Amino acid sequence: MRCVAWASLITKIVLIGVCSVGGYLIAGQIERLAAYRWAPWVGVGVGFCFAFFAIWLVKTVRRLPIKVLVGGTLGLVIGLLIVKLLSFAFIGIENATIRVASSVVLVCIFGYVGMVVGSIKIEELGWPSWQLFQRSVGRGVSLKILDTSAIIDGRIIDILQAGFLEGTLVIPEFVLQELQHIADSPDPSRKLRGRRGLDMLKRLQEEELAEIRIERHHFPHLNEVDAKLAALAVRLNASIVTNDYNLSKVAEVQGIKVLNINRLASALRPVVLPGEVLRLQILKEGKEEGQGIAYLEDGTMVVVENAAKLLGQEVEASVTSILQTTGGRMIFTTLKPSESGRRH
C-alpha cells in the first residue's frame, strides 16, 4: 500500500519536473521571446500548470464510468468531423486571422456539444454488450461494496447462499483497517464485533460464494469511512451493501444505489393481520403496567396486554394493531379469553 503511494507521488514529481523543464526549453527557443530573460521562466510556469492540469484530469477521469468516457469520446470525434466538413466553407476567405478564428470557435462549440451529448445519449443505445463490457473491466452495476456493518452482521453470507446477490463483492482496504481497529479495541463488546467481522470475511473467501476483490484506493482528503465509501462507489460506479441507516441516506442523495440488509429483512417479514392468533412465549415485562413482551422468529417485538404475570409461559394472543416505526415493526396483541384465566 505504501509502495503504491510512493510510486504515485514519484511519478507526479517526475511529470511536473519534465513539463517544467520542457516549458523552460521551449520558451527559450521561441524567436520572439528569446530576447527576454524572463521568457524561459514563464515557460516553466506554463509547463508547471500543464502538469497539474494533467494530474487533475486523471483524477476526474478515474471517477467516470467507462460508458461515459466512451460516449464522450465518440461525441467529440463526431463533433470534430463536422467541423472538418464545415471548414471547407472557409477556404475562400483570404484573411487568415478570420479563417483560423472561425475554425477555433467551431472546434470549441462542436467539440463541447459532441462530448456532452455523446456522454449522455450513450445510455440510450442499450447495446447488449455493455453489460459484458462492464464486467470485463470490473466497473459497473455488478460491483457491490461491503461496509463494516454489513460484514459484521454476517447475513450477507445467507443472502449469497440463497442466490439473491450476484456480482463481485468489493472490500475496501480502509474497511479492513477499521475492522482490525475494532478487533483491537479494549472494549470487550467492540472487540467481539471486530473479530466476528474478520471471521465473516474469512468465510466469504473460503466458501467462494462470490468473487471477492480487495480495493486499495486512497482518499487522503477524506477522514470519515462513510465519505470514503461514497467516493469509492462513485469512482467504481458500484452499489453499497450496508446496515447503516445514515450511510444509506447520504449515499442515496448522491445517486448511489444502496442495498440495505435491514430493509431486505423487513420486506421479507411474514405478514401479520389484525385478528390473527399468534402463539408466543412471554420473555419479559413491558413498559406499561401488565404488559408482557414476546418476539417473533424474525425479531419483531410483540406487546401482549395483561401478560406480565405469565413470564416464561407460552400463550395464544390475538393481534389488535400493528405499528411501523423507524426502528422496526411492533405488534400489539391481547390474550385470548382462555389464556386470561391462567393468570389466576
Side-chain angles (χ1 to χ4, degrees), residues 146-156 200 241-243 261:
L146 300 185
D147 83 329
T148 310
S149 64
I151 295 172
I152 293 175
D153 180 275
R155 286 180 291 179
I156 186 70
M200 290 299 108
V241 181
T242 181
N243 279 334
I261 296 178

Side-chain angles (χ1 to χ4, degrees), residues 1-10 173 177 216-218:
M1 177 178 174
R2 292 183 178 179
C3 293
V4 174
W6 276 106
S8 176
L9 178 62
I10 292 172
E173 193 169 41
Q177 293 173 351
R216 293 180 172 84
H217 277 80
H218 300 277

Side-chain angles (χ1 to χ4, degrees), residues 148 152 177-185 190-191 193-194:
T148 310
I152 293 175
Q177 293 173 351
E178 185 181 34
L179 280 174
Q180 184 177 1
H181 180 71
I182 295 174
D184 293 337
S185 172
R190 281 178 57 84
K191 179 182 292 187
R193 294 178 70 249

